[in-house]
Short mmCIF file of all heavy atoms in Angstrom, two decimals:
data_model
loop_
_atom_site.label_atom_id
_atom_site.label_comp_id
_atom_site.label_asym_id
_atom_site.label_seq_id
_atom_site.Cartn_x
_atom_site.Cartn_y
_atom_site.Cartn_z
N LEU A 59 7.66 -18.02 17.52
CA LEU A 59 7.49 -17.34 18.80
C LEU A 59 8.53 -17.76 19.83
O LEU A 59 8.95 -16.96 20.67
CB LEU A 59 6.08 -17.60 19.35
CG LEU A 59 4.95 -17.03 18.47
CD1 LEU A 59 3.60 -17.57 18.91
CD2 LEU A 59 4.94 -15.52 18.50
N ASN A 67 12.90 -10.14 18.10
CA ASN A 67 11.90 -9.08 18.27
C ASN A 67 12.52 -7.70 18.06
O ASN A 67 11.83 -6.68 18.18
CB ASN A 67 11.26 -9.18 19.67
CG ASN A 67 9.78 -8.86 19.64
OD1 ASN A 67 9.25 -8.46 18.60
ND2 ASN A 67 9.12 -9.00 20.75
N VAL A 85 8.86 -3.75 26.59
CA VAL A 85 9.07 -5.21 26.50
C VAL A 85 9.04 -5.69 25.05
O VAL A 85 9.52 -6.76 24.73
CB VAL A 85 8.03 -6.02 27.30
CG1 VAL A 85 8.39 -6.06 28.76
CG2 VAL A 85 6.63 -5.53 27.08
N ASN A 86 8.43 -4.87 24.20
CA ASN A 86 8.44 -5.19 22.78
C ASN A 86 9.80 -4.80 22.22
O ASN A 86 10.55 -4.09 22.85
CB ASN A 86 7.39 -4.35 22.08
CG ASN A 86 6.26 -5.21 21.65
OD1 ASN A 86 6.48 -6.20 20.95
ND2 ASN A 86 5.07 -4.86 22.07
N HIS A 93 15.46 -8.53 27.52
CA HIS A 93 14.00 -8.54 27.66
C HIS A 93 13.57 -9.02 29.04
O HIS A 93 12.59 -8.54 29.59
CB HIS A 93 13.40 -9.41 26.54
CG HIS A 93 11.97 -9.81 26.77
ND1 HIS A 93 11.61 -11.06 27.22
CD2 HIS A 93 10.83 -9.11 26.67
CE1 HIS A 93 10.29 -11.11 27.35
NE2 HIS A 93 9.79 -9.94 27.02
N ARG A 97 10.83 -7.27 31.36
CA ARG A 97 9.58 -7.97 31.65
C ARG A 97 9.38 -8.11 33.16
O ARG A 97 8.27 -7.98 33.66
CB ARG A 97 9.61 -9.34 30.97
CG ARG A 97 8.32 -10.10 31.10
CD ARG A 97 8.37 -11.37 30.27
NE ARG A 97 7.32 -12.26 30.64
CZ ARG A 97 6.20 -12.49 29.95
NH1 ARG A 97 5.99 -11.87 28.81
NH2 ARG A 97 5.29 -13.33 30.38
N LEU A 100 7.41 -5.38 34.93
CA LEU A 100 5.95 -5.38 34.81
C LEU A 100 5.34 -6.62 35.45
O LEU A 100 4.20 -6.59 35.91
CB LEU A 100 5.54 -5.36 33.33
CG LEU A 100 5.99 -4.16 32.51
CD1 LEU A 100 5.59 -4.36 31.05
CD2 LEU A 100 5.35 -2.89 33.03
N PHE A 104 1.42 -8.63 37.78
CA PHE A 104 0.51 -9.64 37.23
C PHE A 104 0.70 -11.01 37.88
O PHE A 104 0.38 -12.03 37.29
CB PHE A 104 0.71 -9.74 35.71
CG PHE A 104 0.32 -8.47 35.00
CD1 PHE A 104 1.27 -7.52 34.69
CD2 PHE A 104 -1.00 -8.21 34.70
CE1 PHE A 104 0.91 -6.33 34.06
CE2 PHE A 104 -1.37 -7.03 34.07
CZ PHE A 104 -0.41 -6.08 33.76
N ILE A 148 -8.06 -1.54 33.77
CA ILE A 148 -6.65 -1.21 33.55
C ILE A 148 -6.33 0.18 34.09
O ILE A 148 -5.25 0.42 34.64
CB ILE A 148 -6.25 -1.41 32.06
CG1 ILE A 148 -4.73 -1.38 31.87
CG2 ILE A 148 -6.89 -0.45 31.13
CD1 ILE A 148 -4.01 -2.54 32.42
N LEU A 237 0.73 -0.52 28.54
CA LEU A 237 -0.20 -1.39 29.26
C LEU A 237 -1.65 -1.00 28.99
O LEU A 237 -2.52 -1.85 28.81
CB LEU A 237 0.06 -1.34 30.76
CG LEU A 237 1.30 -2.08 31.22
CD1 LEU A 237 1.54 -1.85 32.70
CD2 LEU A 237 1.18 -3.58 30.95
N ALA A 240 -2.27 -2.36 25.51
CA ALA A 240 -2.25 -3.83 25.38
C ALA A 240 -3.47 -4.47 26.05
O ALA A 240 -3.95 -5.49 25.61
CB ALA A 240 -0.98 -4.40 26.00
N GLY A 241 -3.93 -3.83 27.13
CA GLY A 241 -4.97 -4.48 27.91
C GLY A 241 -6.38 -4.10 27.51
O GLY A 241 -7.34 -4.57 28.11
N THR A 244 -7.83 -5.74 23.04
CA THR A 244 -7.79 -7.20 23.00
C THR A 244 -8.85 -7.82 23.92
O THR A 244 -9.56 -8.74 23.53
CB THR A 244 -6.40 -7.69 23.44
OG1 THR A 244 -6.03 -6.97 24.62
CG2 THR A 244 -5.36 -7.51 22.37
N THR A 245 -8.95 -7.29 25.14
CA THR A 245 -9.91 -7.86 26.08
C THR A 245 -11.34 -7.51 25.67
O THR A 245 -12.27 -8.31 25.84
CB THR A 245 -9.60 -7.39 27.52
OG1 THR A 245 -8.19 -7.51 27.73
CG2 THR A 245 -10.32 -8.21 28.56
N LEU A 248 -12.25 -10.04 23.22
CA LEU A 248 -12.54 -11.34 23.83
C LEU A 248 -13.97 -11.37 24.38
O LEU A 248 -14.73 -12.31 24.12
CB LEU A 248 -11.52 -11.64 24.94
CG LEU A 248 -11.79 -12.87 25.80
CD1 LEU A 248 -11.91 -14.13 24.95
CD2 LEU A 248 -10.69 -13.05 26.85
N LEU A 282 -11.07 -17.85 22.49
CA LEU A 282 -9.70 -17.39 22.20
C LEU A 282 -9.10 -18.20 21.04
O LEU A 282 -8.40 -17.66 20.19
CB LEU A 282 -8.81 -17.54 23.44
CG LEU A 282 -9.01 -16.47 24.52
CD1 LEU A 282 -8.45 -16.93 25.86
CD2 LEU A 282 -8.35 -15.15 24.12
N PHE A 286 -10.09 -15.45 17.00
CA PHE A 286 -9.11 -14.40 17.27
C PHE A 286 -8.06 -14.33 16.17
O PHE A 286 -7.10 -15.09 16.18
CB PHE A 286 -8.42 -14.67 18.62
CG PHE A 286 -8.70 -13.61 19.62
CD1 PHE A 286 -9.74 -13.74 20.51
CD2 PHE A 286 -7.94 -12.46 19.67
CE1 PHE A 286 -10.02 -12.75 21.44
CE2 PHE A 286 -8.20 -11.46 20.59
CZ PHE A 286 -9.25 -11.61 21.48
N VAL A 288 -5.20 -13.21 15.40
CA VAL A 288 -3.96 -12.52 15.82
C VAL A 288 -2.80 -12.89 14.90
O VAL A 288 -2.69 -14.02 14.46
CB VAL A 288 -3.51 -12.95 17.24
CG1 VAL A 288 -2.65 -11.90 17.91
CG2 VAL A 288 -4.66 -13.39 18.09
N ILE A 290 1.59 -12.08 14.67
CA ILE A 290 2.74 -11.47 15.38
C ILE A 290 3.96 -11.53 14.47
O ILE A 290 4.17 -12.52 13.77
CB ILE A 290 3.02 -12.26 16.69
CG1 ILE A 290 1.90 -12.03 17.70
CG2 ILE A 290 4.37 -11.92 17.28
CD1 ILE A 290 1.83 -10.65 18.28
N ARG A 292 8.25 -11.05 13.63
CA ARG A 292 9.64 -11.09 14.12
C ARG A 292 10.56 -10.83 12.93
O ARG A 292 10.14 -10.94 11.78
CB ARG A 292 9.97 -12.48 14.70
CG ARG A 292 9.16 -12.89 15.92
CD ARG A 292 9.56 -12.12 17.17
NE ARG A 292 8.91 -12.67 18.36
CZ ARG A 292 7.82 -12.16 18.94
NH1 ARG A 292 7.26 -11.09 18.44
NH2 ARG A 292 7.32 -12.71 20.02
N MET A 315 -1.34 -16.55 13.99
CA MET A 315 -1.81 -17.44 15.06
C MET A 315 -3.28 -17.82 14.93
O MET A 315 -3.68 -18.91 15.33
CB MET A 315 -1.56 -16.80 16.42
CG MET A 315 -0.10 -16.92 16.82
SD MET A 315 0.69 -15.37 16.76
CE MET A 315 0.24 -14.72 18.33
N THR A 343 -3.20 -17.70 21.00
CA THR A 343 -3.74 -16.33 20.97
C THR A 343 -3.00 -15.38 21.92
O THR A 343 -2.93 -14.18 21.65
CB THR A 343 -5.26 -16.38 21.29
OG1 THR A 343 -5.84 -17.26 20.34
CG2 THR A 343 -5.90 -15.03 21.21
N PHE A 344 -2.46 -15.90 23.00
CA PHE A 344 -1.67 -15.05 23.89
C PHE A 344 -0.18 -15.11 23.55
O PHE A 344 0.67 -14.71 24.36
CB PHE A 344 -1.87 -15.46 25.35
CG PHE A 344 -3.22 -15.12 25.92
CD1 PHE A 344 -4.04 -16.11 26.46
CD2 PHE A 344 -3.69 -13.81 25.95
CE1 PHE A 344 -5.29 -15.81 27.01
CE2 PHE A 344 -4.93 -13.49 26.50
CZ PHE A 344 -5.74 -14.48 27.03
N GLY A 345 0.16 -15.64 22.40
CA GLY A 345 1.55 -15.80 22.04
C GLY A 345 2.11 -17.07 22.68
O GLY A 345 1.37 -17.93 23.16
N PRO A 348 9.12 -16.45 25.18
CA PRO A 348 9.52 -15.38 26.11
C PRO A 348 8.55 -14.21 26.19
O PRO A 348 8.46 -13.55 27.22
CB PRO A 348 10.88 -14.90 25.56
CG PRO A 348 11.12 -15.62 24.29
CD PRO A 348 10.15 -16.75 24.17
N HIS A 349 7.82 -13.93 25.11
CA HIS A 349 6.92 -12.76 25.12
C HIS A 349 5.48 -13.13 25.43
O HIS A 349 4.58 -12.30 25.23
CB HIS A 349 7.00 -12.02 23.79
CG HIS A 349 8.32 -11.35 23.57
ND1 HIS A 349 8.60 -10.09 24.03
CD2 HIS A 349 9.45 -11.80 22.98
CE1 HIS A 349 9.84 -9.77 23.71
NE2 HIS A 349 10.38 -10.79 23.06
N PHE A 350 5.26 -14.35 25.92
CA PHE A 350 3.88 -14.78 26.22
C PHE A 350 3.16 -13.66 26.99
O PHE A 350 3.71 -13.06 27.92
CB PHE A 350 3.89 -16.07 27.06
CG PHE A 350 2.51 -16.56 27.38
CD1 PHE A 350 1.78 -17.27 26.45
CD2 PHE A 350 1.91 -16.26 28.60
CE1 PHE A 350 0.48 -17.71 26.72
CE2 PHE A 350 0.60 -16.68 28.89
CZ PHE A 350 -0.11 -17.41 27.95
N CYS A 351 1.93 -13.41 26.61
CA CYS A 351 1.17 -12.27 27.14
C CYS A 351 1.18 -12.21 28.67
O CYS A 351 0.72 -13.13 29.34
CB CYS A 351 -0.27 -12.35 26.65
SG CYS A 351 -1.30 -11.05 27.34
N LEU A 352 1.68 -11.09 29.18
CA LEU A 352 1.72 -10.92 30.64
C LEU A 352 0.32 -10.75 31.21
O LEU A 352 0.08 -11.07 32.36
CB LEU A 352 2.50 -9.64 30.95
CG LEU A 352 3.93 -9.78 31.38
CD1 LEU A 352 4.54 -8.40 31.61
CD2 LEU A 352 4.04 -10.60 32.65
N GLY A 353 -0.57 -10.22 30.40
CA GLY A 353 -1.92 -9.92 30.89
C GLY A 353 -2.90 -11.06 30.71
O GLY A 353 -4.09 -10.90 31.01
N LEU A 356 -5.12 -11.87 33.61
CA LEU A 356 -6.07 -10.77 33.85
C LEU A 356 -7.20 -10.81 32.82
O LEU A 356 -8.38 -10.70 33.17
CB LEU A 356 -5.33 -9.42 33.78
CG LEU A 356 -6.19 -8.18 33.90
CD1 LEU A 356 -6.88 -8.11 35.25
CD2 LEU A 356 -5.36 -6.91 33.68
N ALA A 357 -6.84 -10.99 31.54
CA ALA A 357 -7.86 -11.02 30.49
C ALA A 357 -8.83 -12.18 30.73
O ALA A 357 -10.05 -12.03 30.60
CB ALA A 357 -7.20 -11.16 29.12
C1 HEM B 501 -7.65 -11.24 25.15
C2 HEM B 501 -6.77 -10.37 25.55
C3 HEM B 501 -5.33 -10.34 25.12
C4 HEM B 501 -4.72 -10.91 24.03
C5 HEM B 501 -5.36 -11.73 22.92
C6 HEM B 501 -3.31 -10.59 24.11
C7 HEM B 501 -2.35 -11.02 23.20
C8 HEM B 501 -1.00 -10.86 23.38
C9 HEM B 501 0.01 -11.46 22.54
C10 HEM B 501 -0.25 -12.31 21.30
C11 HEM B 501 1.23 -11.12 23.03
C12 HEM B 501 2.60 -11.56 22.50
C13 HEM B 501 3.24 -10.52 21.64
C14 HEM B 501 4.53 -11.01 21.02
O1 HEM B 501 4.89 -12.18 21.14
O2 HEM B 501 5.19 -10.18 20.38
C15 HEM B 501 0.99 -10.28 24.18
C16 HEM B 501 1.98 -9.70 24.94
C17 HEM B 501 1.71 -8.83 25.97
N1 HEM B 501 0.48 -8.53 26.53
FE1 HEM B 501 -1.28 -9.25 25.95
N2 HEM B 501 -3.11 -9.83 25.23
C18 HEM B 501 -4.30 -9.66 25.88
C19 HEM B 501 -4.52 -8.96 27.05
C20 HEM B 501 -3.56 -8.28 27.76
C21 HEM B 501 -3.79 -7.53 28.96
C22 HEM B 501 -5.12 -7.40 29.70
C23 HEM B 501 -2.58 -6.97 29.32
C24 HEM B 501 -2.22 -6.09 30.47
C25 HEM B 501 -2.86 -5.18 30.98
C26 HEM B 501 -1.60 -7.41 28.35
C27 HEM B 501 -0.26 -7.09 28.38
C28 HEM B 501 0.70 -7.64 27.56
C29 HEM B 501 2.12 -7.33 27.67
C30 HEM B 501 2.76 -6.37 28.67
C31 HEM B 501 2.75 -8.08 26.67
C32 HEM B 501 4.24 -8.09 26.34
C33 HEM B 501 4.94 -9.24 26.98
C34 HEM B 501 6.38 -9.36 26.54
O3 HEM B 501 6.75 -8.88 25.46
O4 HEM B 501 7.15 -9.95 27.31
N3 HEM B 501 -2.23 -8.20 27.41
N4 HEM B 501 -0.37 -10.16 24.38
#
Side-chain angles (χ1 to χ4, degrees):
L59 296 168
N67 217 355
V85 280
N86 251 305
H93 164 258
R97 185 173 164 105
L100 299 176
F104 296 95
I148 193 70
L237 286 175
T244 46
T245 315
L248 172 57
L282 283 162
F286 244 93
V288 204
I290 290 290
R292 297 288 189 261
M315 282 110 83
T343 304
F344 289 123
H349 292 274
F350 181 81
C351 176
L352 260 179
L356 175 63

